[in-house]
Amino acid sequence: KVAKTSHEGVADELEKDAPKDARPRIAETVGMVTEDSTLNVIPTSGGKVLMGLSDAGLQFLVAASRTNVGVKSGRYMFEVRVVEVLLPTMPGGRMAPLQPIPRQQCRVGFSKKGSSLFLGETEDSVCFDSDGCFINNKHKTNVAERFVRDNVFGVLLNLDPASPNANTISLFKDGRRVSKPQPLPEGLVGHA
């Protein structure tokens, strides 16, 4: 299979599907780590759906979580879907003149173990946000189209030295590449 591209300037796909891997899978179930999450993240549907609390002022806080596995080599992709976008009610009504309206944002990416939960804010993490920006160490670059509800977004981390896109991270939408491979910062290469 060859992934289709949709964002302006995305080149022909250099990544080909990897051959079937016969090695044993990890025995551990991949999931969120409660101790590595902000207090306003609630796992639902057996831990497969994460929800940020949005009442009593919590809509103004960032919710973040990290999984329980790390990678050091190979190519790995995970997928996410935004299943709901909330507009929480505000005391006094949403249109109160001096009241900020909470803006929902989704960031997906990779970080070092023990680093900040807030992706893209430090040199220890990289991510794509729902506006289509690639972020590392607070530096944002527009590289893709926006995330919208019900689309499936895949984040590919390529640490395979034999690949033409080695040491990069890429964003896919509904199976199509929507960003050029973005180089990993030196500090993330070879770390879990």
Side-chain angles (χ1 to χ4, degrees):
K1 287 192 245 181
V2 176
K4 298 174 188 166
T5 60
S6 66
H7 194 303
E8 184 180 314
V10 177
D12 290 335
E13 184 60 53
L14 297 175
E15 299 276 354
K16 305 298 180 207
D17 284 351
K20 202 68 153 164
D21 191 349
R23 295 177 295 179
R25 304 279 183 222
I26 60 172
E28 194 173 1
T29 300
V30 177
M32 72 164 274
V33 179
T34 305
E35 298 81 12
D36 234 357
S37 302
T38 56
L39 294 174
N40 59 338
V41 172
I42 302 295
T44 62
S45 301
K48 295 183 186 279
V49 176
L50 300 181
M51 181 174 169
L53 295 176
S54 62
D55 59 334
L58 291 172
Q59 69 268 28
F60 296 106
L61 300 178
V62 176
S65 185
R66 191 182 343 260
T67 63
N68 59 337
V69 296
V71 294
K72 287 189 176 182
S73 63
R75 291 190 306 173
Y76 295 88
M77 178 183 267
F78 70 89
E79 294 180 326
V80 296
R81 177 184 301 209
V82 176
V83 295
E84 185 175 52
V85 177
L86 300 175
L87 262 176
T89 58
M90 313 265 278
R94 277 187 356 171
M95 303 312 252
L98 298 175
Q99 223 170 12
I101 296 175
R103 181 168 180 259
Q104 294 182 338
Q105 182 71 233
C106 179
R107 289 185 179 183
V108 291
F110 291 90
S111 65
K112 283 185 183 179
K113 181 179 181 178
S115 65
S116 171
L117 288 175
F118 305 111
L119 291 174
E121 295 297 310
T122 67
E123 59 195 19
D124 294 338
S125 66
V126 291
C127 68
F128 295 98
D129 72 6
S130 52
D131 290 332
C133 293
F134 174 72
I135 309 170
N136 171 250
N137 206 16
K138 297 184 181 180
H139 178 73
K140 292 177 93 169
T141 307
N142 189 1
V143 297
E145 58 196 58
R146 295 189 61 174
F147 289 35
V148 293
R149 194 184 78 202
D150 294 329
N151 290 126
V152 175
F153 288 90
V155 181
L156 172 68
L157 178 65
N158 186 340
L159 302 175
D160 181 0
S163 168
N165 295 328
N167 298 320
T168 61
I169 182 173
S170 301
L171 183 66
F172 290 77
K173 174 184 173 183
D174 296 329
R176 298 174 292 114
R177 180 183 291 277
V178 292
S179 79
K180 290 181 181 179
Q182 301 299 309
L184 288 176
E186 285 297 316
L188 288 177
V189 176
H191 293 278

